[in-house]
Amino acid sequence: MSTKTVARPAPEPQALGPHWRRSFDLTMWMCLYVAKWFLLIMLVIGVGVALVYRYNTVPEVSIVQFGQQAGLWFGFSMMIMCGVMTPTYIMNGITRSGAATGSLVTAAGLAATFSMSLVLLLMLERPLFGALGWRAGLADDPNEPAAGYALPLLLFLFLLYWAGNVSGLLVHTAYYRLGGLLGTAALPLTLAPVLLAAVYGTNAGTPWGTAQDILPTALSLDLGVWQPALPLALIIVASAAHYRLTITMALAPKEA
């Protein structure tokens, strides 16, 4: 009696997809995993602030609107974390071009997620406050409902958060490429996209106005309906800089 061993055909290699998609899947999943807790904490804090505020007076302004800065700088810090992962992706076979493209797509995707989430919470807040006999007005003018400007705010927040996320990538890349001293010296350049988008993202005098409202007249810039083109141009230039710095990146000796 003989025993025969039959060789089974090897399974087909699993398609991993393009390199930028692999980088995007990894970074976006990490960002969304942390972001869900951030949004939940922000919601709990908002409810807590409203309840505390209620004991002193009848709320007249939107609580959600104050989450604008939290969303900006949380996304900024998340993209620095994504930049930290870039050498790891490269060491595991993802090309530098794929890692750079994936992180930039994540920057846009996270900006869309945060801006839409904030606007959605803003629109849900108004009927909730109304049912409680409260008012969800603008901080500068409580008589104006904050949710009444939700759609223009969505575009502004998306571009602002996108610029902030790309700035986060640039900050990490500059520190990685230049070191601590020169990376710090480069902060005026790496932070320029988010700072300029925050100042010039909307026209002066617009509800949810930017810092342009307090600038001297000589420094103000009003492009009318083309105002969003300015932060978009900043994002394109900053994205190109990040891409260039990443594809020419040399891994540190301990990572090579």
Side-chain angles (χ1 to χ4, degrees):
M1 184 176 181
S2 62
T3 303
K4 293 184 178 180
T5 302
V6 179
R8 295 182 178 180
E12 292 291 330
Q14 184 179 3
L16 297 178
H19 288 247
W20 73 265
R21 178 63 182 274
R22 292 161 58 189
S23 171
F24 168 73
D25 288 343
L26 291 167
T27 53
M28 194 64 181
W29 181 89
M30 178 180 68
C31 288
L32 291 179
Y33 179 80
V34 180
K36 68 181 181 181
W37 293 108
F38 164 76
L39 292 172
L40 179 61
I41 291 171
M42 191 171 74
L43 180 61
V44 171
I45 291 176
V47 172
V49 169
L51 293 176
V52 172
Y53 189 30
R54 175 67 181 86
Y55 279 104
N56 296 288
T57 184
V58 177
E60 294 185 346
V61 298
S62 164
I63 302 298
V64 173
Q65 66 182 310
F66 298 107
Q68 174 181 334
Q69 292 295 322
L72 171 62
W73 298 112
F74 181 83
F76 172 84
S77 63
M78 286 300 301
M79 296 316 297
I80 292 179
M81 186 186 302
C82 290
V84 172
M85 299 301 296
T86 297
T88 304
Y89 297 158
I90 295 173
M91 287 187 291
N92 283 275
I94 295 178
T95 63
R96 287 166 172 77
S97 176
T101 304
S103 61
L104 289 171
V105 176
T106 300
L110 192 64
T113 301
F114 272 33
S115 57
M116 288 189 293
S117 297
L118 186 66
V119 169
L120 178 61
L121 289 174
L122 191 68
M123 297 182 71
L124 292 174
E125 179 189 46
R126 184 179 183 181
L128 177 61
F129 272 34
L132 296 172
W134 303 350
R135 183 185 302 161
L138 291 170
D140 295 333
D141 185 1
N143 293 318
E144 287 289 334
Y149 301 93
L151 292 181
L153 175 66
L154 179 60
L155 176 60
F156 166 63
L157 283 182
F158 173 64
L159 293 174
L160 177 63
Y161 289 175
W162 193 4
N165 293 345
V166 175
S167 277
L169 291 172
L170 270 180
V171 166
H172 168 265
T173 306
Y175 272 102
Y176 189 89
R177 292 288 303 268
L178 303 176
L181 183 60
L182 293 179
T184 302
L187 283 176
L189 290 176
T190 53
L191 291 175
V194 62
L195 296 180
L196 291 176
V199 174
Y200 294 108
T202 60
N203 306 91
T206 304
W208 299 82
T210 63
Q212 189 170 184
D213 293 331
I214 61 175
L215 288 177
T217 305
L219 296 178
S220 64
L221 180 64
D222 190 344
L223 301 178
V225 296
W226 295 102
Q227 196 74 24
L230 181 58
L232 183 59
L234 292 169
I235 292 167
I236 293 173
V237 173
S239 298
H242 168 70
Y243 182 85
R244 178 64 181 173
L245 289 171
T246 303
I247 65 174
T248 58
M249 175 189 295
L251 295 182
K254 62 181 180 181
E255 297 172 332

